[in-house]
Amino acid sequence: MLKAVRGTRDLLPPETETWNFVDAAARDVFRAYNFHEIRTPILEDLALFQRSVGEETDIVAKEMFAWEDRGRAASEKGQWLALRPENTAGVVRAYIENKLWDRPGVQKLYYIGPQFRRERPQKGRYRQFYQIGAEIIGPASAGSESPARDAEILEMLATLLDRLGITGWTLQLNSIGCLADRARYNEALRQALASIKDKMDPDCQRRAVTNPLRVFDCKVPEDQPIIEKLPRISEFLDEPCRQHYAQVKEILRSVGVAFEENDRLVRGLDYYTRTAFEFTHGALGAQNAILGGGRYDGLSEALGGPPAPGIGFAIGEDRLVMSLGKSPEDVLRKPDVYIAPLGAGMNKEVARVARELRRKDLVVELGDESFRLKKSFEIASKLGAKYILISGENEFSTGVFALKNLATGEQVQVPRDSLAAAIQR
Ligand code: AMP
């Protein structure tokens, strides 16, 4: 039997109702903050991720689904393509390619879609997973660098989680400094690690050399005491960075969004600067980050674009759904009415009634003229329909229908043009 590829899965009804509920809430919240949707391709040039996420990151070094796409002629060189492992790079590429900087103000963009990483599958971790993300990017003259934008994004996320009824989340906040701060900090880490790194797990050792900041992502328990003693980024922030961070925190306090400072939070990707954050949730176990994000002031330039500071986040929708504490039953809209056509020739008649009711925004399920009434009742109650509408030749000739409430058993006679109103009531 053919099966879904390892690390991928089918999302089936009724679970997809929960996903749609989350998507709809996100779109609603984004609208209130004046964000607009962007849809970028799932396929991108591999070089995009090498230059943005970084060649030394686990994502690019180990987890990419990438291949050389065949040229048309045998002699023609192929292009290296990749399934996107995240969406910020694609958004910034699109920002540059479509000259979005020419538009007034900052760009406030959001996306919802699948991402791909060849990670070891486990609870809350898939090879095809879904992210809901948003970015604010634009020229510094439009205010894209302002700490007010960082705070706006964080407050928006708190609003979205509240709106979804997710409680028990923690906002972990840090500033990882400007590029110069990071360079000095990296050097300090490298020195601190030089004498002790041999005691660490081989993977952490490699990080200590290639990209010392990544050492903080080492999860090996034995290495944690070493990591705990390393210098802290908070000691390396220059004055403007410290100020920026202080203002982000000030606005968050002003709007009442609680946060925890965590100066070990460095985030896995190369392009982050200044504000970095994660929202974690206790119910998720080892993979406890629901979402992560931060500033990426140099990313546009790194990709050959104009200076365009930005900040954004990506929510792991798979994990968000897991922490939702809602079952599909809670968000599912069951049929308002099940129409039971009684007898030969009735399908074409009930089709018209169904059309009338559906145009009034009712959820209508249709039976079939070949079903006995008993079977229709069984199906209607299995589906959880509120009403069943019995529709035979007699009803169509008199124009009055028997509408039965399946919960109470109460049955009323309703003229055809009052059906929608009776059901809505
Ligand atoms: P990142 O782009 O790594 O910062 O990821 C942002 C969010 O996406 C994380 O906080 C997770 O919630 C989610 N995420 C990342 N990788 C996976 C994965 N393999 N499976 C499910 N969710 C993921």
Side-chain angles (χ1 to χ4, degrees):
M1 190 181 45
L2 286 170
K3 289 196 169 154
V5 172
R6 182 171 142 81
T8 74
R9 71 213 199 280
D10 302 305
L11 299 173
L12 304 173
E15 203 198 342
T16 41
E17 294 296 330
T18 319
W19 287 70
N20 285 335
F21 167 77
V22 168
D23 287 353
R27 287 178 196 277
D28 264 12
V29 169
F30 292 154
R31 187 182 309 112
Y33 290 76
N34 198 33
F35 280 75
H36 297 282
E37 185 171 7
I38 181 167
R39 300 189 188 196
T40 65
I42 287 169
L43 269 181
E44 296 272 6
D45 195 313
L46 173 63
L48 173 65
F49 304 111
Q50 291 170 328
R51 274 190 233 156
S52 56
V53 178
E55 299 209 55
E56 289 296 332
T57 59
D58 285 352
I59 294 181
V60 172
K62 300 190 214 155
E63 298 166 2
M64 295 285 283
F65 285 98
W67 66 95
E68 188 178 10
D69 198 44
R70 234 178 293 134
R72 236 174 287 164
S75 57
E76 209 179 313
K77 259 195 79 97
Q79 180 188 13
W80 277 86
L81 302 180
L83 296 181
R84 63 184 187 195
E86 57 94 56
N87 217 156
T88 301
V91 170
V92 176
R93 184 212 30 79
Y95 174 87
I96 299 167
E97 186 173 343
N98 299 289
K99 301 189 174 53
L100 297 187
W101 70 80
D102 247 357
R103 301 185 180 188
V106 289
Q107 294 300 303
K108 297 171 98 176
L109 304 165
Y110 77 86
Y111 58 83
I112 299 179
Q115 319 293 338
F116 303 84
R117 295 181 194 172
R118 193 187 279 111
E119 292 187 273
R120 194 171 53 78
Q122 62 185 84
K123 184 186 171 212
R125 200 203 267 160
Y126 308 95
R127 290 182 166 184
Q128 173 169 339
F129 60 102
Y130 296 81
Q131 286 184 338
I132 301 176
E135 320 285 349
I136 300 181
I137 180 171
S141 61
S144 58
E145 248 178 313
S146 167
R149 299 289 73 74
D150 306 46
E152 183 181 20
I153 287 247
L154 291 165
E155 189 268 321
M156 176 169 81
L157 281 164
T159 299
L160 175 57
L161 295 181
D162 288 347
R163 165 81 169 262
L164 289 168
I166 296 180
T167 52
W169 51 263
T170 308
L171 162 54
Q172 309 242 359
L173 192 61
N174 191 20
S175 173
I176 56 173
C178 314
L179 288 176
D181 304 340
R182 272 182 76 170
R184 282 189 295 125
Y185 183 51
N186 257 318
E187 201 34 55
L189 283 179
R190 220 182 286 270
Q191 279 178 19
L193 284 163
S195 56
I196 43 176
K197 69 173 194 309
D198 295 345
K199 302 197 187 77
M200 298 179 90
D201 156 87
D203 192 42
C204 306
Q205 279 191 36
R206 190 180 51 81
R207 296 176 194 216
V209 179
T210 55
N211 194 341
L213 262 185
R214 279 278 129 56
V215 167
F216 294 111
D217 293 334
C218 287
K219 296 288 184 282
V220 186
E222 297 77 51
D223 291 348
Q224 298 311 310
I226 299 181
I227 292 172
E228 189 42 45
K229 291 201 199 77
L230 293 171
R232 299 184 166 261
I233 182 73
S234 45
E235 295 151 18
F236 288 79
L237 300 186
D238 65 13
E239 199 41 36
C241 270
R242 202 182 296 278
Q243 277 298 325
H244 191 275
Y245 186 35
Q247 286 179 43
V248 175
K249 291 185 282 188
E250 194 174 67
I251 302 173
L252 287 179
R253 287 193 196 100
S254 159
V255 292
V257 172
F259 58 88
E260 267 175 21
E261 289 187 67
N262 175 359
D263 63 4
R264 295 311 199 197
L265 176 73
V266 293
R267 308 271 310 134
L269 319 186
D270 267 2
Y271 52 59
Y272 285 111
T273 49
R274 295 202 265 197
T275 309
F277 57 86
E278 254 172 32
F279 283 67
T280 53
H281 195 280
L284 288 173
Q287 306 297 319
N288 68 351
I290 319 181
L291 69 92
R295 255 194 183 277
Y296 45 81
D297 293 337
L299 179 56
S300 171
E301 285 154 289
L303 292 176
I311 177 161
F313 63 83
I315 304 172
E317 193 172 6
D318 309 73
R319 295 186 198 171
L320 189 68
V321 167
M322 283 166 64
S323 51
L324 201 54
K326 274 194 176 51
S327 75
E329 293 289 307
D330 300 329
V331 295
L332 187 68
R333 190 167 158 202
K334 302 222 169 110
D336 295 301
V337 59
Y338 181 95
I339 304 182
L342 269 192
M346 286 300 113
N347 275 349
K348 64 178 185 301
E349 300 298 334
V350 294
R352 287 215 308 280
V353 177
R355 182 167 157 93
E356 286 157 24
L357 299 180
R358 284 168 174 157
R359 286 185 172 204
K360 300 230 161 100
D361 206 29
L362 291 171
V363 180
V364 178
E365 183 61 304
L366 262 185
D368 190 87
E369 61 186 31
S370 67
F371 296 171
R372 295 283 197 75
L373 192 54
K374 180 162 176 284
K375 176 166 173 176
S376 288
F377 266 96
E378 280 167 12
I379 300 174
S381 58
K382 262 196 205 127
L383 291 173
K386 285 184 209 110
Y387 289 96
I388 185 163
L389 184 71
I390 299 150
S391 314
E393 214 160 321
N394 193 24
E395 279 75 14
F396 282 100
S397 63
T398 60
V400 178
F401 289 74
L403 183 68
K404 183 168 180 137
N405 184 318
L406 283 165
T408 63
E410 186 195 0
Q411 184 166 322
V412 286
Q413 296 296 114
V414 185
R416 181 161 177 169
D417 57 8
S418 308
L419 278 173
I423 293 165
Q424 268 147 358
R425 220 182 296 126

